[in-house]
C-alpha cells in the first residue's frame, strides 16, 4: 500500500457499493487499484499521463474517473458514507456555509463552446440507480462555454468558486460550483438544496439542518425568508448599512434580527473544511476543462475526508 492509498478498513466500507460488471458485459479493471490511482492524482495534481505504473494504464484511471463523475457514482459513494455516519449519530447538524475561489490553470480553458451531445446511459436489468451500466456512459446535460463550465473572471483572475455546506465536524456535506465572479448570497438556496443524506433504513433522506451559520454575505432578506420558510434556525450577522436602513424606517423597518455571537464562533468549521479540501492539489487548482469532471474531483476529495475523519 502506497502513501495516500485506501487502507483495508476504508476499502471494506466502499467495496459493497461499487459497480459490478464493465463495458459491454466485460470486467472492470481492479476497482481498488484504479481508485488509488485517481486518489494519487487528486492528492498530487500530476498530469494523468504521469501516473505511476503501479496504477495500471493512465487511460483506464482517467476514463473511470470521468465516467463516475458523469453518472454520479462518486456522489453515490459519498452519500452512502454520510448515511452510515448519520445512522451512528456522527453528524453535527449545526452547519456552516461559505465559498472559496479556486484558481483555474491555463489547461482548464479551451473547452468547446457547444458541448457534445450526451450519450444515453444503458444498464443491465437490476442495476441500481447511480451506478455505471454495462454500456458506454455519456456526460451530464449542460456545460459548454465559459459560464457553462463554471469559469469566470474575478479579482483572483480566471477562477471557479466552490460553495460549501460543512457540518459541525469540519466535513463537507454538500457543494456546488459557479463561475468565480458569482456572489455568495444568491447561492445559499442552491447549495442548501444539495444537502441530502439518506436514511440507513426506511424514511426520506434528511435535507434540513438544525441551524445554519453564515457570514454577512448571506444576510439578505430573501435568504432569511427562505430559512424561516423551511423552519431552519440561523445565525447570520446584519450588515451596518442594513441596520441603518432599518432604523431610518422606524417602525416600518421591522424588528432587529437576533444574533448569538457565541454560537457564531462555530462558523470556523466551514473554513477548516475548506482547508481540508484544498489540501488536495487537484482541488486547490482546477485543471479540468469540464465542470462535471472537476465536480467529481471535489466529490472524491470530500469522500476521502469522510473516510479518514
Amino acid at each position: 500500500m502506497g502513501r495516500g492509498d485506501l487502507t483495508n478498513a476504508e476499502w471494506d466500507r466502499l467495496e459493497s457499493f461499487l459497480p459490478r460488471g464493465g463495458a459491454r458485459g466485460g470486467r472492470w479493471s481492479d476497482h481498488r487499484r484504479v481508485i488509488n490511482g485517481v486518489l494519487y492524482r487528486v492528492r498530487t495534481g500530476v498530469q494523468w499521463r504521469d501516473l505511476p505504473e503501479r496504477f495500471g494504464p493512465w487511460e483506464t484511471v482517467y476514463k473511470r474517473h470521468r465516467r463516475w463523475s458523469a453518472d454520479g457514482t462518486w456522489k453515490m459513494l459519498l452519500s452512502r458514507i454520510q448515511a452510515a455516519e448519520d445512522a451512528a449519530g456522527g453528524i453535527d447538524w449545526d452547519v456552516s456555509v461559505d465559498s472559496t475561489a479556486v484558481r483555474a490553470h491555463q489547461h482548464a480553458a479551451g473547452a468547446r463552446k457547444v458541448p457534445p451531445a450526451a450519450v444515453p446511459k444503458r444498464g443491465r436489468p437490476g442495476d441500481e440507480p447511480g451506478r455505471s451500466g454495462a454500456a458506454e456512459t455519456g456526460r451530464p446535460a449542460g456545460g459548454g462555454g465559459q459560464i457553462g463550465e463554471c469559469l469566470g473572471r474575478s479579482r483572483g483572475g480566471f477562477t471557479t468558486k466552490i460553495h460549501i455546506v460543512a457540518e459541525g465536524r469540519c466535513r463537507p456535506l454538500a457543494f456546488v460550483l459557479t463561475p468565480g465572479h458569482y456572489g455568495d448570497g444568491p447561492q445559499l438556496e442552491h447549495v442548501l438544496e444539495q444537502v441530502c443524506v439518506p436514511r440507513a433504513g426506511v424514511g426520506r433522506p434528511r435535507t434540513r439542518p438544525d441551524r445554519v451559520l453564515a457570514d454577512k454575505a448571506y444576510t439578505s432578506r430573501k435568504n432569511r425568508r427562505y430559512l424561516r420558510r423551511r423552519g431552519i434556525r440561523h445565525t447570520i450577522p446584519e450588515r451596518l448599512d442594513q441596520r441603518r436602513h432599518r432604523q431610518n424606517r422606524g417602525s416600518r423597518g421591522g424588528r432587529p434580527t437576533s444574533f448569538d455571537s457565541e454560537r457564531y464562533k462555530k462558523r470556523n468549521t466551514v473554513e477548516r473544511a475548506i482547508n481540508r479540501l484544498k489540501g488536495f492539489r487537484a482541488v486547490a487548482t482546477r485543471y479540468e476543462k469540464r465542470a462535471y469532471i472537476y465536480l467529481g474531483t471535489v466529490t472524491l476529495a470530500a469522500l476521502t475526508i469522510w473516510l479518514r475523519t
Side-chain angles (χ1 to χ4, degrees):
M1 188 179 72
R3 177 172 177 263
D5 289 354
L6 292 173
T7 64
N8 291 333
E10 293 163 358
W11 173 247
D12 290 341
R13 297 181 68 184
L14 290 179
E15 185 178 12
S16 61
F17 304 135
L18 294 172
R20 300 179 298 274
R24 296 182 178 88
R27 297 183 60 185
W28 291 102
S29 297
D30 181 60
H31 278 320
R32 186 169 184 175
R33 184 177 68 170
V34 172
I35 292 175
N36 283 334
V38 181
L39 279 175
Y40 181 90
R41 190 265 172 180
V42 172
R43 181 172 58 85
T44 62
V46 301
Q47 294 188 10
W48 290 102
R49 293 175 182 269
D50 295 332
L51 283 176
E53 293 182 359
R54 65 187 178 93
F55 300 119
W58 70 268
E59 297 96 332
T60 300
V61 181
Y62 168 68
K63 289 179 180 178
R64 188 79 55 86
H65 177 55
R66 185 181 64 183
R67 176 193 294 265
W68 286 1
S69 298
D71 67 8
T73 299
W74 292 130
K75 185 176 180 180
M76 178 271 295
L77 292 174
L78 177 60
S79 67
R80 295 291 181 89
I81 297 301
Q82 289 175 343
E85 284 289 318
D86 189 39
I91 295 182
D92 183 350
W93 284 96
D94 282 358
V95 305
S96 303
V97 182
D98 206 350
S99 72
T100 182
V102 175
R103 186 65 182 267
H105 193 269
Q106 61 185 3
H107 294 165
R112 285 186 290 178
K113 293 184 178 180
V114 180
V119 180
K121 292 185 292 184
R122 295 171 296 168
R124 299 175 302 168
D127 275 351
E128 295 186 16
R131 294 193 174 189
S132 301
E136 293 294 333
T137 302
R139 60 181 303 281
Q146 184 170 303
I147 299 300
E149 300 300 344
C150 298
L151 293 166
R153 299 283 179 180
S154 66
R155 288 184 179 181
F158 199 42
T159 53
T160 293
K161 188 173 281 189
I162 309 175
H163 303 266
I164 301 175
V165 179
E167 55 94 42
R169 292 182 173 86
C170 308
R171 295 173 293 189
L173 267 179
F175 31 81
V176 295
L177 302 182
T178 64
H181 61 278
Y182 278 31
D184 293 355
Q187 304 303 320
L188 179 66
E189 271 188 58
H190 190 194
V191 71
L192 285 180
E193 293 294 337
Q194 302 303 311
V195 176
C196 183
V197 178
R199 306 287 185 179
V202 295
R204 296 179 179 178
R206 177 159 185 176
T207 59
R208 188 174 63 181
D210 293 334
R211 179 178 293 271
V212 169
L213 297 93
D215 60 20
K216 293 180 181 179
Y218 300 89
T219 189
S220 67
R221 290 185 176 181
K222 179 182 177 182
N223 286 339
R224 293 181 186 273
R225 284 197 299 266
Y226 166 75
L227 293 171
R228 284 196 296 268
R229 186 171 67 250
R230 291 193 60 191
I232 302 174
R233 294 173 293 175
H234 55 275
T235 302
I236 305 175
E238 189 179 30
R239 291 201 308 264
L240 291 179
D241 61 330
Q242 288 182 323
R243 186 181 306 169
R244 285 195 300 266
H245 180 66
R246 175 176 51 77
Q247 292 172 347
N248 290 338
R249 296 186 64 189
S251 60
R252 294 179 301 169
R255 296 179 179 179
T257 59
S258 60
F259 178 70
D260 187 343
S261 58
E262 285 299 317
R263 189 182 292 272
Y264 184 69
K265 293 178 180 179
K266 193 178 179 181
R267 198 193 68 85
N268 70 80
T269 55
V270 69
E271 307 288 354
R272 291 154 64 189
I274 290 171
N275 287 340
R276 286 181 176 178
L277 275 178
K278 286 195 168 182
F280 297 85
R281 292 174 179 260
V283 175
T285 302
R286 174 176 171 176
Y287 300 100
E288 289 83 357
K289 287 179 169 57
R290 296 295 182 189
Y292 77 93
I293 301 180
Y294 181 64
L295 183 61
T297 298
V298 178
T299 305
L300 178 57
L303 172 63
T304 306
I305 291 172
W306 278 86
L307 286 173
R308 297 177 177 176
T309 305

